[in-house]
Amino acid sequence: MTDSTSTSTEAVLDRARFGTDGLLPAIVQEESSKDVLMLGYMDREALRRTLTEGRVTFWSRSRSEYWRKGDTSGHAQYVRAAALDCDDDTLLVTVQQVGAACHTGAHRCFDVDPLEPVTASAPETGAANGTAR
């Protein structure tokens, strides 16, 4: 790791707004399909590892330990990009997914229990002229 990478990683770690529990939600998206694969949580060290090692690392809230996707299952996530949201309190990690992302064997964790919400469409007014309400 170069000094500039280390400096920029430290800047990101300092900028990230972790919750009162010390965790940052991390949304994982597949690079090729743009599918949202899963949601995990990272503390400062898990975020540092993710940004510097090229593999996604999470903090397990149930086991109170770090886990790197794929170390036991072989279904690994290789980091392709990462971005904090506009509030610096949520991370989006774009990955090359190898195998299933969900521990159930599903490609995406959101394939497991689809819901049937009432859906809506944006109103015509405002959308055409680019104004938001």
Side-chain angles (χ1 to χ4, degrees), residues 7-119:
T7 302
S8 63
T9 299
E10 287 302 314
V12 171
L13 293 171
D14 290 342
R15 196 174 91 216
R17 295 180 52 206
F18 297 91
T20 56
D21 58 1
L23 299 176
L24 179 76
I27 300 163
V28 179
Q29 180 182 39
E30 187 171 36
E31 180 183 41
S32 61
S33 67
K34 305 300 182 206
D35 286 347
V36 174
L37 299 175
M38 60 176 291
L39 170 72
Y41 293 88
M42 297 181 184
D43 66 1
R44 185 179 175 94
E45 177 60 18
L47 178 55
R48 185 194 66 73
R49 291 180 189 186
T50 298
L51 295 175
T52 61
E53 296 177 0
R55 293 274 306 277
V56 181
T57 300
F58 298 101
W59 175 255
S60 171
R61 296 176 299 163
S62 60
R63 296 187 314 264
S64 296
E65 66 184 19
Y66 295 104
W67 62 280
R68 194 167 69 169
K69 192 69 167 173
D71 279 353
T72 57
S73 68
H75 300 169
Q77 295 173 336
Y78 295 92
V79 177
R80 306 300 291 155
L84 288 167
D85 74 344
C86 58
D87 296 320
D88 296 328
D89 64 359
T90 303
L91 181 72
L92 174 64
V93 185
T94 305
V95 301
Q96 177 185 0
Q97 178 69 42
V98 175
C102 187
H103 71 280
T104 66
H107 177 67
R108 303 176 303 171
C109 292
F110 301 101
D111 289 340
V112 178
D113 189 18
L115 307 176
E116 296 182 22
V118 172
T119 60

Side-chain angles (χ1 to χ4, degrees), residues 126-132:
N129 64 14
T131 60

